[in-house]
Amino acid sequence: MVKLKHIAKACKSKNAGPFHITLDIMFDKPALFEQVRETGVINAALIAQLYGVAETDILFTEYAPALAWKATLPRRIPSGAVGDTDVYGAQQHAPLLDIEIPLDIAA
Amino acid sequence: MTRKSVRMMSASGILGYGFPEASLQAALALKPDMIGVDGGSSDPGPHYLGSGKTLNSRLAMKRDLGLLLRGAIANGIPMMVGTCGGAGGTPHLAACADIIREVAAEHGLHFKMALIEAEQEKGFLLEELEAGHIKPLGNAPELRAADLEEAVRVVGMMGPEPYLEALRAGAQVILGGRGTDPAPWAALAMHHGLPPAPAWYAGKILECACNAAIPKKHDCLMVTVGEDYVETEPLNPELRCTPLSVAVQALHENASPIIRYEPGGVVDSSDCRIEALTDRRVRITGMRWTERPYTIKLEGARQAGFSAIAIAATRDPGLIGQLDSFMDFVRESTATKVKALGIATDDYQLVLRLYGRDGVMGAWEPQPDDAPTEVSIIAEVVATTQDIANAALSLARVTLLHSDFPGRMCREGNMAFPFSPSDIERGAIYEFMLQHVIEIDDPLRMFPIRYENV
């Protein structure tokens, strides 16, 4: 097992418009991306579970040209509305960091 | 065989973020068909659309616009700005136009300028709603007339057509209100007869300039568009476009990296080939454009009230160990004191943000139970008037500072305050309110163009 934060190039979050957050998991080594892809661990169901949202509310895309996965989900609170804590949506990536990937790779 | 192609430059991620002058000069030496910059984003939140203020400072926008304008006029090429002033409403467009006139006067420049309005009149929107032309996106609720009545400002996100119209009319400087980010560049490519697929793809790469290059910097990007390809290369020799850096730009701020909904169609890049031509120039082919019924996305802001905040922090382990019950006490005690002032419960709302524990992510926090050694508390009151916000906040602040809790050792106060005054008026605050599109046959109808000879 290896944690995603030890092998991915980036795990990040950002607004996709005022009502959605988009999460990107990105690699920079094609072979490693392919290995992780083959484990099938990164999918919409996992994101739904990590963020406690319905899987049907998630737009999930595997995007091989960028060695990346992308998941877009509704914000808890619209950007900048009363009670929002993260206007740019740039700090909602933490649950991705500890995703366990069943690969025998030194961290 | 010669093929038709155009060369376009984007100066920076957003107007006012700055770019190296040397990169602009390098771009102009390559004789581009246009230079431009996008000026907008909804990312900084609803304040700019609501208040009419610009995202970046006048000084920073004037620096960028001044260089671009002088470069464009000296080289006889068009200069275009998308979503002027951050939010693209009438005051934002006016602020940029004012800068352009000032720079022109200072440097003795003369040209035809087009100003494309994107702000929508309520009467028009209400008519379109009544006619059933305004539809929710995704899981957004149906729009009601009362929602529109509440709006402070509504803008439509224009496609390339108004820019195209202004180009045909011979405008050399085109300032746009709110638009889809790729629109100015897509328009220039289409103006030269190139098909929508590569034109839109080029616009998408250019909208954030060197976000499509590495290392990431606010710098100028040059893109060449042909009948069936797009090529991209940064102007600063320290930067490079690679197939990966270009692919990564497709992820940026989009819901999907492969399907992008634009006015009048969909850009599909699922079958794109991205290949390196050199170690810093990339060629993309295989993009597709599928026409769809024409729609314009609406963006709106309404006033949420008046806000005042105080920033505090606690370093007391006894208090941090019982923060939730303490915060409940602060809410209740503040409510009692505010009521004693004769302020109705409905007229204000106290929001306590506990940054340092689970403040950033709230219910999404994967480790909510980890005990921090200090916690920052931002107390905010949003109220129907600034006076009520100020009054309720000052009571919340003193309640935070001087309330007992079991085992209290810090007898002189529970909170560290970094500022005097501790209470900060934020004035009117806004929230985004529309996630809807308007179905409209004429891409120009919502975006009147004014021309002036500067």
Side-chain angles (χ1 to χ4, degrees):
Chain A
M1 283 289 180
V2 62
K3 286 184 191 295
L4 198 54
K5 66 185 168 194
H6 294 132
I7 55 172
K9 164 82 169 171
C11 292
K12 61 195 183 79
S13 69
K14 183 93 200 281
N15 289 346
F19 303 99
H20 290 87
I21 292 270
T22 191
L23 307 166
D24 295 336
I25 298 170
M26 299 158 71
F27 282 75
D28 57 356
K29 299 184 185 76
L32 185 55
F33 170 77
E34 193 53 37
Q35 272 183 290
V36 176
R37 201 184 68 78
E38 276 168 17
T39 70
V41 167
I42 299 174
N43 56 44
L46 174 72
I47 303 292
Q49 179 216 321
L50 288 174
Y51 286 83
V53 301
E55 197 178 326
T56 47
D57 285 344
I58 296 178
L59 176 67
F60 185 85
T61 315
E62 185 171 277
Y63 187 52
L67 313 179
W69 288 271
K70 189 174 198 50
T72 303
L73 44 154
R75 272 174 150 274
R76 290 187 296 118
I77 299 171
S79 168
V82 175
D84 186 26
T85 56
D86 187 359
V87 169
Y88 289 77
Q91 281 291 300
Q92 304 299 314
H93 61 296
L96 305 174
L97 300 172
D98 291 326
I99 292 174
E100 300 262 10
I101 306 292
L103 286 177
D104 187 18
I105 297 173
Chain B
M1 183 173 80
T2 55
R3 305 192 81 165
K4 192 162 42 175
S5 71
V6 294
R7 216 180 292 184
M8 307 186 282
M9 187 275 251
S10 169
S12 186
I14 287 189
L15 174 66
Y17 278 6
F19 53 84
E21 210 173 326
S23 297
L24 172 62
Q25 296 315 325
L28 293 172
L30 293 169
K31 299 284 171 213
D33 296 289
M34 77 162 270
I35 55 177
V37 66
D38 180 43
S41 176
S42 62
D43 251 22
H47 172 76
Y48 305 94
L49 183 59
S51 68
K53 289 181 183 157
T54 60
L55 170 63
N56 289 324
S57 72
R58 190 178 197 280
L59 273 179
M61 291 194 295
K62 186 176 174 185
R63 184 267 179 190
D64 286 3
L65 283 175
L67 288 171
L68 289 171
L69 180 66
R70 289 154 61 197
I73 303 305
N75 287 271
I77 54 173
M79 172 196 137
M80 295 195 242
V81 184
T83 307
C84 279
T90 299
H92 309 96
L93 185 61
C96 287
D98 184 60
I99 295 171
I100 291 284
R101 292 184 200 107
E102 188 173 290
V103 173
E106 285 169 7
H107 295 274
L109 307 176
H110 300 283
F111 47 87
K112 183 170 180 176
M113 176 161 74
L115 304 178
I116 312 172
E117 287 281 353
E119 201 166 318
Q120 304 300 313
E121 284 170 13
K122 273 188 200 172
F124 164 75
L125 294 171
L126 287 166
E127 278 170 27
E128 293 296 305
L129 180 65
E130 181 73 20
H133 296 156
I134 300 184
K135 302 277 166 66
L137 282 173
N139 53 4
E142 289 286 339
L143 191 67
R144 300 163 310 157
D147 298 326
L148 284 175
E149 304 283 2
E150 276 180 20
V152 174
R153 180 168 289 109
V154 176
V155 290
M157 293 182 78
M158 73 181 79
E161 293 81 2
Y163 289 93
L164 257 171
E165 177 68 20
L167 284 167
R168 284 179 191 137
Q172 187 173 5
V173 174
I174 306 174
L175 304 184
R178 187 63 168 137
T180 176
D181 292 354
W185 296 280
L188 194 281
M190 292 174 189
H191 182 63
H192 288 275
L194 291 162
W200 275 108
Y201 195 98
K204 172 61 189 168
I205 291 190
L206 284 158
E207 67 173 42
C208 291
C210 273
N211 196 54
I214 48 170
K216 258 195 179 186
K217 263 181 94 172
H218 291 130
D219 208 321
C220 308
L221 186 72
M222 187 77 100
V223 160
T224 305
V225 192
E227 299 274 354
D228 56 1
Y229 70 92
V230 172
E231 287 180 18
T232 174
E233 183 174 337
L235 293 148
N236 183 338
E238 294 166 15
L239 305 185
R240 301 183 296 132
C241 279
T242 69
L244 190 58
S245 78
V246 168
V248 163
Q249 165 62 13
L251 298 174
H252 187 65
E253 292 174 350
N254 295 330
S256 162
I258 47 178
I259 301 291
R260 291 181 14 95
Y261 295 90
E262 297 287 2
V266 173
V267 188
D268 182 345
S269 52
S270 39
D271 293 329
C272 274
R273 287 173 302 285
I274 310 178
E275 47 192 340
L277 293 182
T278 71
D279 65 345
R280 48 194 309 279
R281 185 177 180 89
V282 167
R283 180 183 177 98
I284 308 106
T285 52
M287 59 287 287
R288 289 192 302 264
W289 169 257
T290 312
E291 222 168 275
R292 290 279 184 93
Y294 207 88
T295 58
I296 290 289
K297 194 172 173 186
L298 298 173
E299 225 168 51
R302 72 175 148 231
Q303 196 172 324
F306 294 85
S307 167
I309 62 165
I311 301 170
T314 178
R315 180 60 183 81
D316 189 288
L319 179 53
I320 289 171
Q322 50 188 305
L323 258 183
D324 290 327
S325 56
F326 182 76
M327 288 301 137
D328 285 344
F329 174 81
V330 169
R331 286 188 192 95
E332 284 163 27
S333 178
T334 303
T336 305
K337 294 172 190 171
V338 173
K339 199 172 180 187
L341 299 186
I343 295 171
T345 313
D346 287 349
D347 284 344
Y348 82 101
Q349 187 184 356
L350 172 63
V351 181
L352 300 172
R353 291 171 176 82
L354 306 183
Y355 278 120
R357 194 185 63 176
D358 55 4
V360 174
M361 300 199 66
W364 284 355
E365 175 54 54
Q367 291 158 331
D369 302 324
D370 287 7
T373 53
E374 66 177 57
V375 179
S376 158
I377 298 159
I378 300 177
E380 178 182 29
V381 173
V382 177
T384 50
T385 69
Q386 190 69 55
D387 282 347
I388 292 176
N390 297 352
L393 179 70
S394 84
L395 293 171
R397 180 242 308 145
V398 74
T399 309
L400 276 167
L401 179 59
H402 287 307
S403 294
D404 272 348
F405 54 88
R408 185 184 187 199
M409 304 292 282
C410 53
R411 309 302 306 180
E412 299 297 348
N414 303 320
M415 294 292 148
F417 287 92
F419 301 119
S420 173
S422 61
D423 300 1
I424 303 159
E425 278 189 17
R426 290 216 301 134
I429 60 162
Y430 303 89
E431 57 193 15
F432 284 122
M433 57 168 286
L434 289 170
Q435 200 180 359
H436 297 77
V437 291
I438 185 162
E439 294 168 342
I440 193 148
D441 293 332
D442 178 1
L444 298 177
R445 166 139 183 235
M446 293 167 63
F447 307 103
I449 308 174
R450 280 181 288 128
Y451 296 97
E452 66 183 71
N453 290 308
V454 179

